[in-house]
Amino acid sequence: MNLWILLTFTALAECRYQKRGAYSCPDLCSCSFPPSTTEVVCSQSSLNHFPVSGLPSNTTQLSIQSNNLSSITASHLSAVPLLNHLQLYYNNLTSLPSDLLKDVPHLNTLDLTGNQLVNLPPNVFSHASLHSLVLKNNLIEKADAEWFPDNSNLTWLDLSGNRLTDVPAALLQKLPNLEILDLSDNNLQDLQPDALKNLHRLQSLNLAGNKLSSLKPTIFSHNLKLSQLLLQENQLQELPAALLQGLQHLELLLLNQNQLQHFPSGLLDEKKSSFQMILTGNPWVCDEKMEYLWKWLTVHPQNVVFLEEVMCAGPEALKHRQVASLTESELGLNKIQN
């Protein structure tokens, strides 16, 4: 009987110890324990090291934000093998080890926004079933195809706010499941002709805030599920007539703050009634070459946001006039017909 009592007390003590460990919380952090998850948040504190001590082993979501964390290793993450969301934004990380994610096989989301990352090693994102990867606002100058495994599960990739001058087609070819791609606010001057060829599931593409001056006619021909295409704040001077051909799901097109003067005939044909577009901040030249866009604007005014701000930059007689308010004779179309 005494043996049974001893075993019972031992079991109770072990249970209490495990429970206390599961519900512990690191210094400078807060923890919550909703059903089936454990969330740890270390926000805006003086944390300068990974909070291993007191970190619940069943942590599923960990956020270390606006701290002074300067390094993280695979050994650190091995303390939380059930992790599925990891947010490390606005710290002082300058590098990542290639085996960082090897002990967190359930990791779904990784957010590294606002660090000091420049070069990332090969295979750094090949050890987890990542679906969402955010590398926004770092110092990355080169995107490497070797970051990812073949046929990656990634559906969302955000590389905005870096220093990229090019995105290798080989990198994007490894991401056939990608649905959201954000490359805005980099230094991209051109896109490789086949860069987007393998992105058949792509729904949202953000190329805003780059230095693109032209686009290949077939650059989006394999992205037939695109619903959002953001091209504002570039240096686009003209668009190919076939650029949007086949994009029957396109809902939003942003072209504001470019160098466009005309639209080619046929560019917007067959766009659905819910389609929305912004065209402000372009130097539109209101002559006979404006006929296609002028007619489209007058027939579909409800599809153009800030329509009243789509103004002529020339010729001098029509400067600052609303494009949609012009007449055939002002555009010189009567002369052509006669």
Side-chain angles (χ1 to χ4, degrees):
M1 181 66 83
N2 289 338
L3 178 61
W4 285 108
I5 293 174
L6 179 61
L7 290 173
T8 300
F9 273 109
T10 300
L12 286 172
E14 184 177 350
C15 181
R16 287 185 64 189
Y17 175 80
Q18 291 177 348
K19 186 174 181 180
R20 184 177 64 187
Y23 287 87
S24 64
C25 193
D27 293 339
L28 304 177
C29 303
S30 63
C31 300
S32 58
F33 307 93
S36 72
T37 65
T38 297
E39 302 173 6
V40 180
V41 177
C42 313
S43 176
Q44 296 183 339
S45 59
S46 56
L47 197 68
N48 55 22
H49 61 276
F50 190 84
V52 174
S53 180
L55 191 62
S57 60
N58 61 347
T59 298
T60 53
Q61 298 186 34
L62 173 61
S63 179
I64 304 175
Q65 50 185 288
S66 302
N67 279 278
N68 295 315
L69 186 69
S70 59
S71 66
I72 185 170
T73 67
S75 176
H76 290 148
L77 294 183
S78 67
V80 283
L82 301 180
L83 199 64
N84 55 50
H85 280 70
L86 177 59
Q87 297 174 319
L88 297 170
Y89 42 84
Y90 296 105
N91 283 283
N92 289 317
L93 296 171
T94 58
S95 62
L96 302 175
S98 60
D99 64 346
L100 177 65
L101 308 180
K102 70 182 182 68
D103 294 322
V104 281
H106 306 289
L107 193 67
N108 179 282
T109 300
L110 176 59
D111 191 335
L112 290 155
T113 297
N115 282 279
Q116 305 295 315
L117 299 171
V118 180
N119 297 310
L120 298 177
N123 303 315
V124 63
F125 303 121
S126 65
H127 299 285
S129 298
L130 278 178
H131 283 77
S132 300
L133 175 61
V134 182
L135 293 165
K136 181 178 181 178
N137 292 347
N138 278 277
L139 305 172
I140 300 170
E141 297 179 354
K142 182 181 179 182
D144 193 338
E146 299 306 313
W147 289 349
F148 302 104
D150 292 336
N151 295 316
S152 166
N153 291 312
L154 212 63
T155 60
W156 178 20
L157 175 60
D158 187 344
L159 279 163
S160 63
N162 281 282
R163 299 177 177 181
L164 299 174
T165 57
D166 180 50
V167 178
L171 181 148
L172 298 177
Q173 285 169 5
K174 290 188 172 185
L175 309 176
N177 297 300
L178 209 59
E179 297 175 2
I180 301 172
L181 176 59
D182 192 341
L183 296 170
S184 61
D185 299 319
N186 278 281
N187 295 314
L188 301 178
Q189 298 183 24
D190 195 12
L191 293 176
Q192 297 180 20
D194 58 345
L196 308 174
K197 185 177 180 179
N198 205 36
L199 304 185
H200 301 294
R201 300 185 181 184
L202 194 64
Q203 298 175 25
S204 176
L205 176 60
N206 191 347
L207 292 166
N210 281 285
K211 298 178 180 179
L212 299 171
S213 59
S214 64
L215 294 168
K216 307 292 189 299
T218 59
I219 189 67
F220 306 126
S221 61
H222 299 277
N223 315 125
L224 301 184
K225 292 189 176 182
L226 264 183
S227 62
Q228 296 186 355
L229 180 55
L230 313 183
L231 295 166
Q232 73 272 26
E233 297 175 19
N234 276 281
Q235 299 170 13
L236 295 171
Q237 299 177 17
E238 58 182 9
L239 300 176
L243 184 67
L244 308 178
Q245 188 173 337
L247 303 186
Q248 298 180 3
H249 300 284
L250 195 62
E251 297 273 356
L252 180 64
L253 175 63
L254 302 188
L255 287 165
N256 45 299
Q257 275 68 49
N258 276 282
Q259 297 298 316
L260 298 170
Q261 297 184 358
H262 304 101
F263 264 12
S265 180
L267 180 69
L268 300 174
D269 288 3
E270 301 180 358
K271 288 293 163 277
K272 52 172 42 175
S273 59
S274 57
F275 173 73
Q276 294 285 293
M277 178 171 59
I278 300 181
L279 298 172
T280 56
N282 284 282
W284 302 110
V285 176
C286 296
D287 56 16
E288 64 276 6
K289 293 181 181 179
M290 181 59 78
E291 180 179 9
Y292 175 76
L293 178 58
W294 170 72
K295 285 184 176 178
W296 200 92
L297 294 179
T298 55
V299 174
H300 306 281
Q302 72 281 0
N303 296 93
V304 183
V305 184
F306 309 124
L307 175 64
E308 68 282 358
E309 296 179 28
V310 182
M311 303 280 195
C312 302
E316 191 64 30
L318 298 176
K319 201 169 183 179
H320 305 307
R321 286 282 304 278
Q322 294 180 10
V323 174
S325 72
L326 300 176
T327 64
E328 286 188 353
S329 86
E330 286 175 316
L331 288 173
L333 301 180
N334 287 342
K335 295 178 183 178
I336 295 175
Q337 292 171 1
N338 293 334

Coordinates of all heavy atoms in Angstrom, one line a residue, residues 1-37:
M1 N 0.8 -1.2 0.0 CA 0.0 0.0 0.0 C 0.9 1.3 0.0 O 0.6 2.2 -0.7 CB -0.9 0.0 1.2 CG -1.9 1.2 1.3 SD -3.1 1.3 -0.1 CE -4.3 0.2 0.6
N2 N 1.9 1.2 0.8 CA 2.8 2.4 0.9 C 3.4 2.7 -0.5 O 3.7 3.8 -0.9 CB 3.9 2.1 1.9 CG 3.4 2.2 3.3 OD1 2.3 2.8 3.5 ND2 4.1 1.6 4.3
L3 N 3.7 1.6 -1.3 CA 4.3 1.8 -2.6 C 3.3 2.5 -3.5 O 3.7 3.4 -4.3 CB 4.6 0.4 -3.2 CG 5.2 0.4 -4.6 CD1 6.5 1.3 -4.6 CD2 5.4 -1.0 -5.1
W4 N 2.0 2.1 -3.4 CA 1.0 2.8 -4.2 C 0.9 4.3 -3.8 O 0.7 5.2 -4.7 CB -0.4 2.1 -4.1 CG -0.5 0.8 -4.8 CD1 -0.5 -0.4 -4.3 CD2 -0.5 0.7 -6.2 NE1 -0.6 -1.4 -5.3 CE2 -0.6 -0.7 -6.5 CE3 -0.5 1.6 -7.3 CZ2 -0.6 -1.2 -7.8 CZ3 -0.5 1.1 -8.6 CH2 -0.6 -0.3 -8.8
I5 N 0.9 4.6 -2.5 CA 0.9 6.0 -2.1 C 2.0 6.8 -2.6 O 1.9 7.9 -3.1 CB 0.8 6.1 -0.6 CG1 -0.5 5.4 -0.1 CG2 0.9 7.5 -0.1 CD1 -0.6 5.3 1.4
L6 N 3.2 6.2 -2.6 CA 4.4 6.8 -3.1 C 4.3 7.1 -4.6 O 4.7 8.2 -5.0 CB 5.7 5.9 -2.8 CG 7.0 6.5 -3.3 CD1 7.3 7.8 -2.6 CD2 8.1 5.5 -3.0
L7 N 3.8 6.1 -5.3 CA 3.7 6.3 -6.8 C 2.7 7.4 -7.1 O 2.9 8.2 -8.1 CB 3.3 5.0 -7.4 CG 4.3 3.9 -7.5 CD1 3.8 2.5 -8.0 CD2 5.5 4.3 -8.4
T8 N 1.6 7.4 -6.3 CA 0.6 8.4 -6.6 C 1.1 9.8 -6.3 O 0.9 10.8 -7.1 CB -0.6 8.2 -5.6 OG1 -1.2 6.9 -5.9 CG2 -1.7 9.3 -5.8
F9 N 1.8 10.0 -5.2 CA 2.4 11.3 -4.9 C 3.5 11.7 -6.0 O 3.6 12.9 -6.4 CB 3.1 11.3 -3.5 CG 2.1 11.6 -2.4 CD1 1.7 10.7 -1.5 CD2 1.6 12.9 -2.3 CE1 0.8 11.0 -0.5 CE2 0.7 13.2 -1.3 CZ 0.3 12.2 -0.4
T10 N 4.2 10.7 -6.5 CA 5.2 11.0 -7.5 C 4.6 11.5 -8.8 O 5.0 12.4 -9.4 CB 6.1 9.8 -7.8 OG1 6.7 9.3 -6.6 CG2 7.1 10.0 -8.8
A11 N 3.5 10.8 -9.1 CA 2.8 11.2 -10.4 C 2.1 12.6 -10.2 O 2.2 13.4 -11.2 CB 1.7 10.1 -10.7
L12 N 1.6 12.9 -9.1 CA 1.0 14.2 -8.8 C 2.1 15.3 -8.9 O 1.8 16.4 -9.5 CB 0.3 14.2 -7.5 CG -1.1 13.5 -7.4 CD1 -1.6 13.4 -6.0 CD2 -2.1 14.1 -8.3
A13 N 3.2 15.0 -8.3 CA 4.3 16.0 -8.3 C 4.8 16.2 -9.7 O 5.0 17.4 -10.1 CB 5.4 15.5 -7.4
E14 N 4.9 15.2 -10.5 CA 5.4 15.3 -11.9 C 4.3 16.1 -12.7 O 4.7 17.0 -13.5 CB 5.6 13.9 -12.5 CG 6.1 14.0 -14.0 CD 6.4 12.6 -14.5 OE1 6.4 11.6 -13.8 OE2 6.7 12.6 -15.7
C15 N 3.1 15.8 -12.5 CA 2.0 16.5 -13.2 C 2.0 18.0 -12.9 O 1.9 18.9 -13.8 CB 0.6 15.9 -12.9 SG -0.7 16.7 -13.7
R16 N 2.2 18.3 -11.6 CA 2.3 19.7 -11.2 C 3.5 20.4 -11.8 O 3.4 21.6 -12.2 CB 2.4 19.8 -9.6 CG 1.1 19.5 -8.9 CD 1.2 19.8 -7.4 NE 1.4 21.2 -7.2 CZ 1.8 21.6 -6.0 NH1 1.9 20.8 -4.9 NH2 2.0 22.9 -5.8
Y17 N 4.6 19.7 -11.8 CA 5.8 20.3 -12.4 C 5.6 20.6 -13.9 O 6.0 21.7 -14.4 CB 7.0 19.3 -12.2 CG 8.3 19.8 -12.9 CD1 9.1 20.8 -12.3 CD2 8.6 19.3 -14.2 CE1 10.2 21.2 -12.9 CE2 9.8 19.7 -14.8 CZ 10.6 20.7 -14.2 OH 11.7 21.1 -14.8
Q18 N 5.0 19.6 -14.6 CA 4.8 19.8 -16.1 C 3.8 21.0 -16.3 O 4.0 21.8 -17.2 CB 4.2 18.5 -16.7 CG 5.3 17.4 -16.8 CD 4.7 16.2 -17.3 OE1 3.5 16.0 -17.5 NE2 5.6 15.2 -17.6
K19 N 2.8 21.0 -15.4 CA 1.8 22.1 -15.6 C 2.4 23.4 -15.3 O 2.2 24.4 -16.1 CB 0.6 21.8 -14.7 CG -0.6 22.8 -14.8 CD -1.7 22.4 -14.0 CE -2.9 23.4 -14.2 NZ -4.0 23.1 -13.4
R20 N 3.2 23.5 -14.3 CA 3.9 24.8 -14.0 C 4.8 25.2 -15.1 O 4.9 26.4 -15.5 CB 4.7 24.6 -12.7 CG 5.3 25.9 -12.2 CD 6.1 25.7 -10.9 NE 7.1 24.8 -11.1 CZ 7.9 24.3 -10.1 NH1 7.6 24.6 -8.8 NH2 8.9 23.5 -10.3
G21 N 5.5 24.2 -15.7 CA 6.4 24.5 -16.9 C 5.6 25.0 -18.1 O 6.0 25.9 -18.8
A22 N 4.4 24.4 -18.3 CA 3.6 24.7 -19.5 C 3.0 26.1 -19.3 O 2.8 26.8 -20.3 CB 2.5 23.7 -19.6
Y23 N 2.8 26.5 -18.1 CA 2.2 27.8 -17.9 C 3.1 28.9 -17.3 O 2.7 29.9 -16.8 CB 1.0 27.7 -16.9 CG -0.2 27.0 -17.5 CD1 -0.3 25.6 -17.5 CD2 -1.2 27.8 -18.1 CE1 -1.4 25.0 -18.1 CE2 -2.3 27.1 -18.7 CZ -2.4 25.8 -18.7 OH -3.5 25.2 -19.3
S24 N 4.4 28.6 -17.5 CA 5.4 29.6 -17.1 C 5.5 30.7 -18.2 O 4.9 30.5 -19.3 CB 6.8 29.0 -16.9 OG 7.3 28.4 -18.1
C25 N 6.3 31.8 -17.9 CA 6.4 32.8 -18.9 C 7.7 33.5 -18.7 O 8.1 33.8 -17.5 CB 5.3 33.8 -18.7 SG 5.1 35.0 -20.1
P26 N 8.5 33.8 -19.8 CA 9.8 34.5 -19.6 C 9.6 35.9 -19.1 O 8.6 36.5 -19.2 CB 10.3 34.5 -21.1 CG 9.5 33.5 -21.8 CD 8.1 33.5 -21.2
D27 N 10.7 36.4 -18.4 CA 10.8 37.8 -18.0 C 10.6 38.7 -19.2 O 11.1 38.4 -20.3 CB 12.1 38.0 -17.3 CG 12.2 37.3 -16.0 OD1 11.2 36.9 -15.4 OD2 13.4 37.1 -15.5
L28 N 10.0 39.8 -19.0 CA 9.8 40.9 -20.0 C 8.8 40.4 -21.1 O 8.8 41.1 -22.2 CB 11.1 41.3 -20.6 CG 12.2 41.8 -19.7 CD1 13.5 42.1 -20.4 CD2 11.8 43.0 -18.9
C29 N 8.1 39.4 -20.9 CA 7.1 38.9 -21.9 C 5.8 38.7 -21.2 O 5.7 38.6 -20.0 CB 7.6 37.5 -22.5 SG 9.2 37.6 -23.3
S30 N 4.8 38.6 -22.0 CA 3.4 38.2 -21.5 C 3.0 36.9 -22.2 O 3.3 36.7 -23.4 CB 2.4 39.3 -21.8 OG 2.3 39.6 -23.2
C31 N 2.2 36.1 -21.6 CA 1.8 34.8 -22.1 C 0.3 34.7 -21.9 O -0.3 35.1 -21.0 CB 2.5 33.7 -21.4 SG 4.3 33.7 -21.5
S32 N -0.3 34.0 -22.9 CA -1.7 33.6 -22.8 C -1.9 32.2 -23.3 O -1.1 31.7 -24.1 CB -2.6 34.6 -23.7 OG -2.2 34.5 -25.0
F33 N -2.9 31.5 -22.7 CA -3.0 30.1 -22.9 C -4.5 29.8 -23.4 O -5.2 29.1 -22.7 CB -2.7 29.4 -21.6 CG -1.3 29.7 -21.1 CD1 -1.2 30.7 -20.1 CD2 -0.2 29.1 -21.5 CE1 0.0 31.1 -19.6 CE2 1.0 29.4 -21.0 CZ 1.2 30.4 -20.1
P34 N -4.9 30.3 -24.5 CA -6.2 29.9 -25.0 C -6.2 28.4 -25.4 O -5.1 27.8 -25.5 CB -6.4 30.7 -26.3 CG -5.0 31.1 -26.7 CD -4.2 31.2 -25.4
P35 N -7.4 27.8 -25.6 CA -7.4 26.3 -25.8 C -6.6 25.9 -27.0 O -6.6 26.5 -28.1 CB -8.9 26.1 -26.1 CG -9.6 27.2 -25.4 CD -8.7 28.4 -25.5
S36 N -5.7 24.9 -26.8 CA -4.9 24.3 -27.8 C -3.8 25.1 -28.3 O -3.1 24.7 -29.2 CB -5.7 23.7 -28.9 OG -6.2 24.8 -29.8
T37 N -3.6 26.3 -27.8 CA -2.5 27.2 -28.2 C -1.8 27.8 -27.0 O -2.4 28.0 -26.0 CB -2.9 28.3 -29.2 OG1 -3.8 29.2 -28.5 CG2 -3.6 27.7 -30.4

